[in-house]
C-alpha cells in the first residue's frame, strides 16, 4: 500500500474532512481556477529563471533574511515581468508578480494560507492535497502546487 493510499484510508477512518474553501483567502492563481494558459505558465517559468539568475549574480553581498534583498528581489521581478510580460493584461501581470515573489521568497501557494490568522495548521500531502485546520476542524483547500518539485522546493 502506498503512503498516499494509507493516508487516504486513515483520513476516512479517523477524522471527518470537510471540503470547503477557506474563508478570508484572497483569490489568487493558487485556487481551483484552471491555469490561465500554457503561454502564461511558460512565461512565468521564463521570468522565474531569469530573476533567479539576476538575483544570484547581483546580490551576493546581501543575506537571505535581509529586507533589502527582499525589496531588491521584488524590484527585479517587477522589472523583468514588465519587460517580458507586456503581452498580458496589467491585472494578470500584477497577479504574476505576486506569484513569482511568493515562489521565490516565500512558500509559494501556501503564503495566502499562512496569512490567515484563523488557520492553526497546514498539511501538504501532495501537490493537489493541501489541508488546513481551523477551529479544530480539518478542511481540504482549493490551493495547489504546480507539481511535486514545487512542493519539495517550498
Amino acid at each position: 500500500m502506498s503512503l498516499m493510499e494509507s493516508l487516504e484510508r486513515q483520513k476516512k477512518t479517523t477524522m471527518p474532512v470537510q471540503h470547503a474553501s477557506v474563508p478570508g483567502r484572497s483569490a489568487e492563481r493558487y485556487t481551483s481556477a484552471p491555469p490561465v494558459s500554457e503561454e502564461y505558465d511558460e512565461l512565468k517559468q521564463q521570468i522565474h529563471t531569469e530573476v533567479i539568475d539576476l538575483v544570484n549574480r547581483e546580490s551576493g553581498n546581501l543575506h537571505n533574511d535581509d529586507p533589502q534583498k527582499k525589496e531588491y528581489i521584488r524590484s527585479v521581478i517587477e522589472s523583468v515581468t514588465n519587460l517580458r510580460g507586456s503581452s498580458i493584461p496589467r491585472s494578470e501581470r500584477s497577479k504574476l508578480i505576486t506569484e513569482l515573489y511568493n515562489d521565490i521568497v516565500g512558500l509559494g501557494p501556501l503564503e495566502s494560507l499562512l496569512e490567515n490568522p484563523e488557520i492553526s495548521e497546514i498539511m501538504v500531502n501532495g501537490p493537489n492535497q493541501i489541508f488546513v485546520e481551523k477551529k479544530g476542524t480539518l478542511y481540504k483547500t482549493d490551493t495547489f502546487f504546480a507539481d511535486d518539485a514545487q512542493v519539495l522546493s517550498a
Side-chain angles (χ1 to χ4, degrees):
M1 177 181 302
S2 74
L3 177 60
M4 292 299 280
E5 290 169 337
S6 177
L7 289 171
E8 284 295 317
R9 178 185 284 176
Q10 183 180 10
K11 177 179 70 174
K12 289 178 183 175
T13 60
T14 61
M15 182 177 279
V17 176
Q18 298 179 11
H19 180 77
S21 60
V22 179
R25 287 194 31 220
S26 59
E28 294 185 22
R29 180 158 159 39
Y30 299 114
T31 62
S32 61
V36 176
S37 70
E38 200 171 297
E39 179 184 333
Y40 179 91
D41 290 337
E42 288 175 17
L43 177 65
K44 181 178 176 183
Q45 185 58 46
Q46 290 171 357
I47 294 171
H48 186 277
T49 301
E50 189 171 342
V51 168
I52 295 295
D53 290 344
L54 285 168
V55 169
N56 286 339
R57 225 177 313 138
E58 301 294 327
S59 68
N61 61 344
L62 295 173
H63 300 287
N64 285 338
D65 294 337
D66 189 345
Q68 288 179 338
K69 184 169 186 175
K70 289 182 179 182
E71 279 305 310
Y72 172 73
I73 291 170
R74 180 171 287 284
S75 70
V76 171
I77 291 169
E78 289 172 353
S79 298
V80 173
T81 301
N82 288 329
L83 180 67
R84 302 276 182 255
S86 59
S87 64
I88 61 174
R90 187 176 301 264
S91 62
E92 289 297 316
R93 214 175 310 156
S94 175
K95 189 170 82 169
L96 178 60
I97 289 168
T98 299
E99 288 177 20
L100 286 163
Y101 183 80
N102 287 343
D103 287 347
I104 293 170
V105 175
L107 295 174
L110 299 181
E111 288 297 318
S112 62
L113 299 174
L114 291 167
E115 292 172 3
N116 187 333
E118 296 179 352
I119 294 175
S120 58
E121 188 171 350
I122 300 171
M123 294 146 279
V124 179
N125 293 336
N128 298 312
Q129 291 189 333
I130 301 173
F131 298 85
V132 295
E133 183 178 321
K134 182 179 164 198
K135 296 182 181 176
T137 304
L138 193 63
Y139 296 91
K140 185 176 190 310
T141 69
D142 293 334
T143 303
F144 63 91
F145 285 95
D147 53 27
D148 287 331
Q150 189 182 21
V151 172
L152 294 173
S153 68

